[in-house]
Amino acid sequence: MVGGVCSVIIVGLTGLVLGLIFNHFLPLLLKLGVAPKGTFGWPLLGETLSFLKPHSSNSLGSFLQDHCSRYGKVFKSHLFFSPTIVSCDQELNYFILQNEDKLFQCSYPKPIHGVLGDSSMLVVVGDTHRRLRNLALTLVSTTKSNPSYLNDIERTITRTLDSWQDNQQIIFCEEARKFSFHVIVKQVLGLTPDDPQTAKILEDFLTFMKGLISIPLYIPGTAYARAVKARTRIASTVKAIVDERIGNGEVSNKQGDFLQLLLSANTLSDNEKLSFVLDSLLGGYETTSLLMAMAVQFLGQSPAAMAQLKTEHENIRRDKGEGEHLNWEDYKKMEFTQNVINEALRCGNVVKFVHRKAIKDVRFKEYSIPSGWKVLPVFSAVHLDPSLHGNALQFHPWRWEGVQTHSQTSKKFTPFGGGPRFCPGSELAKVEIAFFLHHLVLRYRWRPEGVDQAMAYPYVEFQRGLPLRLYQIS
């Protein structure tokens, strides 16, 4: 009996290994038409480890630099256990993003599904994605200019900056994460920073984030296994909060409330609604706080940009009454602030690339992309391309003066993706950061404590958490 089980296991493992090897070498034997140049690297692993090698987020990294110089901006490789076309070309990237569900489809590695859940808007495709996205757009449109939402942001900013008054040094990334989490958890679940559930969800969320970017081994004690369990706990906490609100009649009495709109979405299953809440927390937490840290770091390195930003916000504050909240019209006046945010997005590259796969044989210019191959449009390569952006490695927010960047059709600037998967919450993130910068530059000056660098792993993280020395402004 034991021998039979062992035989089955050995046969299964042998089949898996042979399948992976076959998957690696078969594309080399097929006629691909005019395939991009490139190499597949090692069997099984391909070039994945080299591709994921850490590098500063405002650079291409050695892998892309080497491959682009040898093979051009579009090349073939073998990444994430799949034959892959890597695109550092703005035209092909745009073509991929605009042909979602026609020629290409979202295709994140299976371990990502294990942490996010199969109903996450980040991984679902087709009609399911369209239903979730339409709901997201509805929520964003009803939220972004809502005075109560904007006032909540300012109250959270004031609370955060007040907590720094007795500190000469802060770890800014930690502060930015707490701030962005408190904003999104208030908007989505109606929780304040003092609610016990807020601390509980935040603790589990930190575990969740560490596992999302870890080696995907579901073994007790690993970061990945802890993340899967943390997601289950977050889901349980969120469900309890929703059930309590429904039982008390709180949700149904708040017209336009996030939970009211979500729970009334009859096109979504309960599991999809729960995943939607988790996606909202994720989107409003990690990427927003990281972009905020990028802007603060770059401003600290550019006295001219800092001076112009402060002048803009002094002028806005001068027109406001004592203690009067900022509003949507004030946000629209923050033109140079928008330039700073756009330039932080371009230089910092919070999202380096996205995962897609070809669902049909695709011909683009002289290239052939076989059906089933993974396709990676690399946004950072376009953002740092000196032929598209003068002095591409320099933080220069004035480059955006007079440039319309809100259009989804921009080819050389895609920090929020594009096409049907353009990030629906991008405007909310910009409002949050603009309001934060408004209060920050009017209350504090800062300088970095030592050298810190945002590194792409490929996720982006500051090595030391961006420690800052603070100076209060009278």
Side-chain angles (χ1 to χ4, degrees), residues 282-297:
L282 176 62
Y285 169 72
E286 182 66 17
T287 53
T288 302
S289 61
L290 184 54
L291 175 55
M292 193 182 302
M294 293 283 190
V296 166
Q297 183 198 39

Side-chain angles (χ1 to χ4, degrees), residues 337-353:
T337 307
Q338 293 292 333
N339 295 344
V340 167
I341 293 172
N342 287 329
E343 187 69 345
L345 284 165
R346 187 193 68 81
C347 291
N349 294 293
V350 174
V351 178
K352 178 180 176 180
F353 64 94

Side-chain angles (χ1 to χ4, degrees), residues 444-459:
Y444 288 98
R445 291 183 296 109
W446 66 90
R447 63 175 175 82
E449 285 282 65
V451 178
D452 201 1
Q453 177 64 54
M455 300 292 291
Y457 291 90
Y459 66 93

Side-chain angles (χ1 to χ4, degrees), residues 87-238:
S87 171
C88 298
D89 176 77
Q90 65 161 339
E91 296 291 342
L92 181 51
N93 286 4
Y94 178 79
F95 180 76
I96 294 167
L97 296 175
Q98 294 299 317
N99 282 281
E100 179 77 25
D101 284 335
K102 299 173 185 175
L103 302 176
F104 304 94
Q105 199 170 67
C106 182
S107 180
Y108 282 88
K110 286 295 182 183
I112 297 294
H113 293 236
V115 179
L116 293 177
D118 290 330
S119 296
S120 169
M121 187 163 61
L122 297 178
V123 300
V124 294
V125 298
D127 289 339
T128 302
H129 177 262
R130 281 187 284 275
R131 285 188 285 112
L132 291 169
R133 178 174 167 76
N134 287 338
L135 175 61
L137 291 172
T138 300
L139 287 167
V140 168
S141 65
T142 58
T143 297
K144 65 180 184 180
S145 57
N146 186 337
S148 65
Y149 167 68
L150 300 180
N151 294 348
D152 282 341
I153 291 178
E154 282 204 274
R155 279 190 284 268
T156 308
I157 293 170
T158 300
R159 181 186 178 112
T160 301
L161 299 189
D162 285 348
S163 72
W164 298 354
Q165 287 188 105
D166 297 326
N167 298 334
Q168 292 185 326
Q169 180 178 318
I170 59 168
I171 304 299
F172 186 80
C173 287
E174 293 179 3
E175 299 295 319
R177 286 192 178 102
K178 284 190 291 186
F179 161 73
S180 61
F181 185 79
H182 288 155
V183 169
I184 194 64
V185 84
K186 176 66 168 65
Q187 179 60 28
V188 174
L189 297 173
L191 299 178
T192 68
D194 296 323
D195 282 317
Q197 297 102 319
T198 301
K200 182 179 180 182
I201 295 175
L202 179 57
E203 182 181 356
D204 282 331
F205 222 82
L206 293 172
T207 303
F208 173 83
M209 287 304 306
K210 290 177 182 177
L212 186 61
I213 52 181
S214 66
I215 299 174
L217 294 175
Y218 193 79
I219 299 173
T222 63
Y224 182 79
R226 288 196 297 269
V228 174
K229 292 181 178 179
R231 184 190 185 278
T232 302
R233 291 194 299 271
I234 295 170
S236 178
T237 303
V238 169

Side-chain angles (χ1 to χ4, degrees), residues 413-429:
F413 183 60
T414 53
F416 297 107
R421 286 186 175 267
F422 183 85
C423 176
S426 58
E427 194 73 52
L428 296 185

Side-chain angles (χ1 to χ4, degrees), residues 309-460:
L309 184 73
K310 186 178 179 184
T311 298
E312 177 172 87
H313 289 288
E314 286 173 339
N315 291 336
I316 291 172
R317 180 49 57 187
R318 191 175 295 118
D319 294 334
K320 307 293 290 184
E322 181 69 27
E324 184 181 355
H325 285 293
L326 295 170
N327 55 38
W328 190 253
E329 288 69 33
D330 295 320
Y331 170 66
K332 289 300 183 181
K333 294 176 185 176
M334 300 177 183
E335 296 180 1
F336 187 70
T337 307
Q338 293 292 333
N339 295 344
V340 167
I341 293 172
N342 287 329
E343 187 69 345
L345 284 165
R346 187 193 68 81
C347 291
N349 294 293
V350 174
V351 178
K352 178 180 176 180
F353 64 94
V354 291
H355 293 262
R356 297 291 184 268
K357 73 174 179 181
I359 55 178
K360 297 179 181 178
D361 290 335
V362 178
R363 187 85 174 182
F364 181 79
K365 294 185 178 179
E366 71 271 26
Y367 304 120
S368 288
I369 304 175
S371 176
W373 277 40
K374 183 176 280 290
V375 184
L376 298 183
V378 182
F379 302 150
S380 60
V382 176
H383 293 165
L384 300 175
D385 188 336
S387 68
L388 301 175
H389 307 277
N391 296 317
L393 300 183
Q394 178 186 359
F395 177 78
H396 188 72
W398 297 272
R399 75 173 76 242
W400 299 105
E401 290 180 348
V403 178
Q404 296 295 322
T405 60
H406 65 274
S407 173
Q408 295 185 23
T409 60
S410 175
K411 295 181 181 180
K412 64 179 184 179
F413 183 60
T414 53
F416 297 107
R421 286 186 175 267
F422 183 85
C423 176
S426 58
E427 194 73 52
L428 296 185
K430 287 186 174 184
V431 171
E432 196 173 317
I433 294 169
F435 279 22
F436 188 92
L437 290 175
H438 171 85
H439 288 278
L440 179 64
V441 299
L442 295 180
R443 291 186 56 177
Y444 288 98
R445 291 183 296 109
W446 66 90
R447 63 175 175 82
E449 285 282 65
V451 178
D452 201 1
Q453 177 64 54
M455 300 292 291
Y457 291 90
Y459 66 93
V460 178

